[in-house]
Amino acid sequence: MSERGPSTAPSQGATPEIPSPAPSSAVPLTAARRTGLLVTFILGGLTALPPLSMDMYLPALPEVTTALGSPAATIQLTLTACLAGMALGQLVIGPMSDKWGRRRPLLTGMIVYVLATAICALAPNAGLLIGFRLLQGLAGAAGIVIARAVVRDLYDGVEMARFFSTLMLISGVAPIIAPLIGGQVLRLADWRGVFVVLTAVGLALTVVVWRGLGETLPPERRQTGGVGSALRTMRGLLGDRVFAGYTLAGGFAFAVLFSYISASPFVVQEIYGASPQAFSLLFGLNSVGLIVIGQVNGKLLVGRVSLDKALGAGLGVITVASVALLLMSTRVFGEVGLVPVAAGLFVLMSAMGLVLPNTNAQALMRTPHAAGSASALLGTSSFLVGAVASPLVGIAGEHTAVPMALVQLTCSLLAVTCFLTMCRPWRATSSPAGV
């Protein structure tokens, strides 16, 4: 595989010119609008929708298990189905957005998301819930993949890395408030009320996108050709060893994160006896750590420290935290309470603030010619690996944290291996000039 990307990115730190789109198919984006708070919050909302869809539902998992009369491993498949749908949906919608523009695929996906979420609220059994969670993920993928592609349309270099950190600040609020909202909804209604709230949120975001987000990919910059052309583009992207390395490193790091998301409701509530509200508070605290470190990355490190150095530090911390969690869960230190385990999870989550924005930025900087397809590959790899990790963390039942810690350590070591062997960060070609 080639070491250089398929195309040379613009100079580091520069903001590329966006050619004026045709009046009939796109809304002109002035410099003021590009940096406007509305567009920033819309993109933040689109990236926040997946964690909102996943995390608001987490406090209800034990209740869903009882209400539908299914084992925990089956109910965890409702998370896996949603995650797998997001992975596969990105693989389709990303290339579509390179061909037809960002706006039409995004609005279509949002409408289907609202309908699928509403049907989840009415699901009478686990099988139907799993099926419509899959559809919910397929449609919700539009927001994830197109938001990243829009950022690539508008920014480059360190500015793109900073903007991803800003998005993390906005979208990072979702994991904080989602379990809190979910816990409060469970005080007033059963688990179906969570999906009613998600339906309302999806509908509101669809309206805001329709009214406030213009087209960022003008016709002259769109890809031509059909499925064959899209597959050739993706094959070319995967043929770039460095792009593939960042993609895989980010995917395995996301699997570490998702194994925590999938297992933590049972670890905290079933093993340590915490209430849904206490779990929500701990989950929110961990998300605060991720946001704070993400802002340290964007405001203090980017432009001063190599993106690869920040990324490597984040991967190192995640690996150490995973080792500590495995030692605690296997009782090497004897019986431990909730506080040490919660501290380990806090460190692990916080380090994601160095890993996730920098893997996205480093990979997308190599692909200015096919941002939608590149974004799709980034998202698909992350969500597919996460979908595989989800059922593994519950394979030994609800009363042990060993599978969670083992999956986290394995995936963190794989992420470090991909980063070192494929990205080769010590080489100048691994980082754009000027960082």
Side-chain angles (χ1 to χ4, degrees), residues 193-232:
V194 173
F195 288 103
V196 173
V197 174
L198 285 173
T199 301
V201 171
L203 183 60
L205 186 56
T206 302
V207 173
V208 173
V209 168
W210 175 59
R211 295 180 62 88
L213 184 64
E215 181 61 69
T216 62
L217 187 69
E220 59 268 25
R221 292 178 53 198
R222 296 177 188 175
Q223 299 286 319
T224 57
V227 175
S229 176
L231 292 176
R232 284 192 296 273

Side-chain angles (χ1 to χ4, degrees), residues 79-387:
L79 296 176
T80 302
C82 186
L83 199 65
M86 290 178 184
L88 298 174
Q90 289 182 73
L91 204 59
V92 174
I93 297 170
M96 286 173 56
S97 74
D98 281 338
K99 181 178 181 180
W100 294 325
R102 313 299 186 202
R103 186 173 164 83
R104 280 192 295 169
L106 176 58
L107 286 172
T108 301
M110 292 300 298
I111 291 170
V112 176
Y113 171 88
V114 170
L115 296 175
T117 306
I119 296 175
C120 284
L122 305 174
N125 54 60
L128 197 61
L129 181 60
I130 291 170
F132 278 97
R133 284 284 277 176
L134 176 66
L135 181 59
Q136 182 191 42
L138 287 167
I144 314 169
V145 68
I146 292 177
R148 273 197 304 262
V150 168
V151 173
R152 187 62 188 94
D153 290 341
L154 303 181
Y155 297 98
D156 186 48
V158 295
E159 293 302 322
M160 181 165 56
R162 288 191 178 115
F163 195 85
F164 274 125
S165 291
T166 301
L167 285 187
M168 182 169 289
L169 172 63
I170 300 169
S171 62
V173 174
I176 297 175
I177 66 172
L180 296 174
I181 294 173
Q184 296 307 311
V185 169
L186 292 178
R187 287 178 176 269
L188 305 174
D190 63 6
W191 62 271
R192 300 179 189 276
V194 173
F195 288 103
V196 173
V197 174
L198 285 173
T199 301
V201 171
L203 183 60
L205 186 56
T206 302
V207 173
V208 173
V209 168
W210 175 59
R211 295 180 62 88
L213 184 64
E215 181 61 69
T216 62
L217 187 69
E220 59 268 25
R221 292 178 53 198
R222 296 177 188 175
Q223 299 286 319
T224 57
V227 175
S229 176
L231 292 176
R232 284 192 296 273
T233 298
M234 289 188 174
R235 186 171 64 244
L237 292 171
L238 291 175
D240 173 14
R241 173 177 50 75
V242 180
F243 172 84
Y246 286 121
T247 300
L248 289 173
F252 285 120
F254 186 84
V256 175
L257 174 65
F258 196 75
S259 65
Y260 157 75
I261 292 174
S262 181
S264 59
F266 297 98
V267 171
V268 174
Q269 296 181 70
E270 300 294 333
I271 297 177
Y272 293 100
S275 67
Q277 288 71 36
F279 163 73
S280 299
L281 289 173
L282 287 174
F283 196 93
L285 181 62
N286 291 341
S287 299
V288 169
L290 186 150
I291 292 174
V292 170
I293 299 303
Q295 293 314 293
V296 169
N297 177 73
K299 305 299 183 183
L300 299 179
L301 300 183
V302 171
R304 295 180 177 89
V305 178
S306 163
L307 300 186
D308 280 329
K309 287 183 179 179
L311 173 56
L315 289 174
V317 172
I318 288 170
T319 303
V320 171
S322 299
V323 171
L325 287 167
L326 182 60
L327 293 176
M328 285 187 285
S329 63
T330 53
R331 300 181 181 179
V332 171
F333 304 122
E335 194 72 34
V336 297
L338 177 59
V339 173
V341 173
L345 292 173
F346 176 80
V347 172
L348 184 145
M349 279 283 285
S350 298
M352 291 294 172
L354 293 176
V355 175
L356 300 182
N358 290 329
T359 50
N360 284 337
Q362 288 286 65
L364 288 174
M365 270 193 276
R366 303 180 69 84
T367 59
H369 62 296
S373 296
S375 177
L377 289 173
L378 281 169
T380 297
S381 63
S382 296
F383 283 90
L384 280 180
V385 178

Side-chain angles (χ1 to χ4, degrees), residues 25-81:
S25 61
V27 178
L29 221 60
T30 64
R33 188 173 177 188
R34 285 177 53 192
T35 57
L37 285 177
L38 179 60
V39 172
T40 302
F41 278 108
I42 289 174
L43 296 180
L46 292 173
T47 56
L49 192 60
L52 198 65
S53 301
M54 304 293 290
D55 301 342
M56 190 184 297
Y57 176 61
L58 293 180
L61 279 178
E63 181 182 325
V64 177
T65 302
T66 302
L68 298 183
S70 299
T74 300
I75 297 304
Q76 281 177 325
L77 288 177
T78 62
L79 296 176
T80 302

